[in-house]
Amino acid sequence: MKVGVLTSGGDSPGMNACIRAIVRVGISRGQHIFGIHGGLQGLLDRHISTLEARSVANIVHRGGTILTTGRSEEFRTTEGQKKAARILREEMFDALIALGGNGTMQALHKLQQYWDGLIIGLPGTIDNDVYGTDYSIGFDTAVNNAIDAVDKIRDTAQSFDRIFLIEVMGRHSGQIALHVGIACGADVIAIPETKTDLDLIAEKIIAGKKRGKSFAFIVVAEGDEEGDAHTIAQKLSTKIGEKCRVSVLGYIQRGGNPTHHDRILATRLGAYAIECLLKGVSGVMLGMINGELTATPLEETFTKKKPIDQWLFSLVDELSI
Ligand code: F6P
């Protein structure tokens, strides 16, 4: 089989470990693996090269993606999707493996309409918002990156008795904010999946101060319905009568060496993608649920909303008394 592999959308730590597993397990099982550089736009521009076992040497520990990535406007159009299918046919690909988030899974679903090769999606996004897997590749590293930063901010917040809002990534999802908030002992977690009530938050912080809490910090997902951390800080400062400081962690969350968890998840999913292709599996995203490798129809991965852990979220009030 001639198998193409690409990474699309936001890069995530562990993508390289996954590419390595695809290439090496693929070659060892007699397949020909080709890298498509620059995501879906790279496919439309025919940026394709052979990947040998040595092409993926020394990358298992590196963040980012050696294939580079992107967000393609052209692929969003029907013309773009038909063109991608034509190129895959002309280049005589038998299969395509794509790593990415919701947008990538939607793109693969569209591509299925115009190309009859085997298609497999793998969840690679720090946001962990793809339905069909407990964790996506890169989430664990991003959470650990954010934890490292929040622990440092806590030191200065405590020294000055300040109120801090720390914004983490998650355009449509509070998964990073929830995990970071619980792991760092936040007083409040503001996420798009639950209603953020600023009056209640202000009351909680004022009551905490009265009980002797010297400082407070709030972890905000960038996609919260009340706005970003700067917007929320402004509103809260007025309500509390004290200036709230803001730290936006930004892209630092997306980089760095993947954690053990992400490297193993990435390796499992990459190897499993090859095994599935050899069995003729297509039109699915592979994931891991309760420790088991799984395959979910592509359409479900973006039409179904991945729920947040409501019980974990509900604990924040008790944990911060
Ligand atoms: O990778 C997902 C994500 O991290 C979102 O949480 C964030 O909003 C977005 O990427 C920003 O990425 P870019 O600026 O590269 O589009």
Side-chain angles (χ1 to χ4, degrees):
M1 267 199 293
K2 179 170 175 176
V3 182
V5 52
L6 64 81
T7 50
S8 173
D11 53 286
S12 63
M15 279 183 163
N16 282 329
C18 188
I19 296 164
R20 172 178 176 268
I22 292 167
V23 171
R24 294 208 168 155
V25 174
I27 290 172
S28 106
R29 304 205 189 173
Q31 311 310 311
H32 303 283
I33 315 293
F34 288 75
I36 299 166
H37 303 259
L40 292 160
Q41 191 57 48
L43 172 59
L44 295 169
D45 298 338
R46 287 187 205 252
H47 288 160
I48 301 165
S49 70
T50 316
L51 292 175
E52 308 290 354
R54 296 275 70 74
S55 319
V56 291
N58 204 26
I59 65 165
V60 70
H61 62 300
R62 280 171 48 197
T65 158
I66 59 158
L67 293 177
T68 70
T69 185
R71 303 188 198 276
S72 170
E73 282 308 316
E74 190 181 352
F75 194 91
R76 284 183 215 276
T77 65
T78 307
E79 277 322 298
Q81 292 150 21
K82 287 183 179 166
K83 181 177 163 188
R86 196 185 70 237
I87 291 171
L88 286 164
R89 272 191 296 273
E90 286 170 3
E91 298 286 336
M92 296 172 70
F93 276 106
D94 300 294
L96 178 68
I97 302 173
L99 285 82
N102 280 314
T104 306
M105 300 311 139
Q106 268 181 64
L108 293 180
H109 179 63
K110 294 271 183 201
L111 185 62
Q112 271 185 312
Q113 290 179 274
Y114 306 109
W115 186 56
D116 56 9
L118 302 176
I119 298 180
I120 287 197
L122 299 178
T125 166
I126 63 163
D127 290 351
N128 198 30
D129 57 349
V130 190
Y131 182 88
T133 188
D134 288 340
Y135 296 106
S136 54
I137 297 166
F139 173 70
D140 188 61
T141 309
V143 168
N144 280 305
N145 286 340
I147 287 174
D148 189 45
V150 173
D151 287 348
K152 288 173 178 145
I153 293 168
R154 175 186 262 277
D155 290 343
T156 177
Q158 182 264 326
S159 302
F160 265 106
D161 288 355
R162 280 176 169 165
I163 302 168
F164 256 96
L165 280 88
I166 301 161
E167 183 183 295
V168 297
M169 276 187 164
R171 214 175 346 188
H172 307 294
S173 160
Q175 299 276 352
I176 296 178
L178 174 59
H179 281 239
V180 171
I182 295 293
C184 293
D187 296 282
V188 175
I189 301 171
I191 55 175
E193 291 89 343
T194 62
K195 185 172 162 32
T196 301
D197 184 330
L198 297 183
D199 288 321
L200 263 184
I201 294 173
E203 274 170 33
K204 182 177 176 185
I205 288 173
I206 293 166
K209 290 230 166 199
K210 283 190 185 144
R211 286 197 315 275
K213 289 195 89 161
S214 59
F215 69 101
F217 76 92
I218 301 168
V219 175
V220 180
E222 64 177 326
D224 189 78
E225 78 280 6
E226 280 293 336
D228 60 14
H230 283 285
T231 313
I232 296 181
Q234 247 174 13
K235 295 180 191 168
L236 275 183
S237 297
T238 315
K239 289 182 193 292
I240 298 171
E242 180 183 329
K243 185 170 177 189
C244 299
R245 259 77 179 181
V246 175
S247 251
V248 178
L249 300 188
Y251 292 96
I252 200 161
Q253 294 162 90
R254 232 160 63 178
N257 297 354
T259 58
H260 137 264
H261 180 275
D262 276 329
R263 295 182 201 197
I264 298 291
L265 176 66
T267 302
R268 280 191 210 273
L269 292 179
Y272 191 47
I274 293 294
E275 291 190 351
C276 286
L277 286 180
L278 290 172
K279 287 185 195 143
V281 174
S282 182
V284 293
M285 185 197 79
L286 306 180
M288 278 197 81
I289 301 176
N290 295 329
E292 300 286 333
L293 287 159
T294 53
T296 303
L298 284 169
E299 195 171 3
E300 279 184 38
T301 65
F302 56 89
T303 51
K304 291 191 175 169
K305 174 87 182 145
K306 181 168 181 162
I308 62 141
D309 185 336
Q310 289 287 349
W311 179 71
L312 192 61
F313 181 80
S314 74
L315 291 180
V316 71
D317 281 335
E318 285 172 281
L319 292 172
S320 62
I321 52 173

